[in-house]
Amino acid sequence: MIHHAHNARRDSLILFATRIVRLIAYGSLSVILVLYLELAGLSQNQIGLLLFLTLVGDTVISLRLTTLADRWGRRKTLVVGAILMLLAGCVFAMTRNPLALLIAATIGVISPSGNEVGPFLSIEQAALSHVISDEKRTGIFAWYSLSGSLATAVGSLVGGQTWQILQQAGVSTLRTYQIILLFYAALGVVLAAMFMLLSAAVEIHTPADTNAIPHWSGLGESKPIILKLSALFAIDAFGGGFVVQSLVAFWFYKRFETPPSTLGEIFFYANVFAGLSHLAAARLAKRFGLINTMFFTHLPSNVLLMLVPFMSSLWLAVAVLLLRFSISQMDVPTRQSYTMAVVKPAERSAAAGITGVARTLGAAVAPLLAAPMLGTAVFFNAPFYLAGGLKIVYDLLLYRSFVHTKAPEEKSA
């Protein structure tokens, strides 16, 4: 028992550390990604297509890896994901050929939003749920989400400040972007090494449980509720895809001529505010329930999102954006905890993977539409309106569908 508890603490710390390293990489890349692609000679339509294929490729690979993870091995699957991240970063840094970039974006792991992509989050959630109790799950997920938001914030700051330092040192803009991409690739190597340190405690090690997992989907009794959640999460992510961090950074750059160094600072504070809100979410969920917390914090944040383009100055727009971030992410740990709560332990990787893939698919289409909008005067602000409106629809449908479906710890409360 003591040995098991030691492994659980050690594995939890490693999983927190891998999330931090990964989100630093994603955050640093998101600040400069669209700017780099424009400098590389890609048109607005090509950039939209590349972001679309980035997320579609991630969807296909993540779906396969996450549905296999509980049988093939969670540690092994996570290492494969880290290698795909390394390869994508290297290709992006070494070539400006549009076809090569499209292929790397489709096969590799690249985050245009600063948020999670790839199989990592789903498998890490399943592994954490495997080594902690139901009562502690939401609280642990809140800290886990906080660590990710703060890491994204640090990554955004690192990306922006690295750009400024290298520019002041006389390094060309193109070379500066390539250095940040190589930094991203190097963190893929660090991730692979860290995943190898996980113990066998994170795995599904009971043969009966493993054999009971359906071969293709990885879901059994949980399939109906997970498919319904997936459809709703796809709507939310489709809305969010219009305002991924790299596109919002580009919007600020074009609207207010904001340099990358300032963009890094803006998204540093945005992600800090988002991270701190995760802890409040755990407290609210304990008192009011997971679904209530998701609904009553997420809906007003989407109204704020739609107000950003109405602001007449950079700092007013930033103030509204930061206010939005201070409540917009409270649904993240609650959503993740709720998904893990309504499925069996042996189906958790698949459940997290399928709902994650649904979100990725939803988010994949939106940049294809949003990037060309940012190139026109008429539709320049439309991504904010579309994002907020779609997310409000999601909030209403989620509340109506699941307000009476409680997590196990809520039933016993």
Side-chain angles (χ1 to χ4, degrees), residues 217-235:
S217 70
L219 295 177
E221 296 176 9
S222 312
K223 185 179 291 186
I225 193 169
I226 290 302
L227 292 180
K228 194 171 185 179
L229 283 171
S230 296
L232 292 172
F233 292 168
I235 295 172

Side-chain angles (χ1 to χ4, degrees), residues 272-349:
V272 167
F273 283 18
L276 294 175
S277 74
H278 293 146
L279 299 183
R283 291 180 177 273
L284 290 173
K286 190 172 183 180
R287 182 171 181 180
F288 300 108
L290 292 167
I291 294 296
N292 284 333
T293 301
M294 292 163 67
F295 176 74
F296 288 106
T297 60
H298 202 239
L299 191 145
S301 78
N302 296 320
V303 175
L304 289 169
L305 179 63
M306 299 173 75
L307 293 177
V308 172
F310 289 100
M311 299 301 106
S312 58
S313 69
L314 170 63
W315 298 115
L316 280 174
V318 169
V320 174
L321 186 72
L322 293 181
L323 183 59
R324 185 254 174 179
F325 267 93
S326 69
I327 57 174
S328 68
Q329 299 299 298
M330 287 189 185
D331 76 311
V332 174
T334 46
R335 182 185 71 230
Q336 295 168 349
S337 180
Y338 187 79
T339 304
M340 293 295 96
V342 296
V343 300
K344 291 184 175 181
E347 299 177 27
R348 282 172 171 161
S349 289

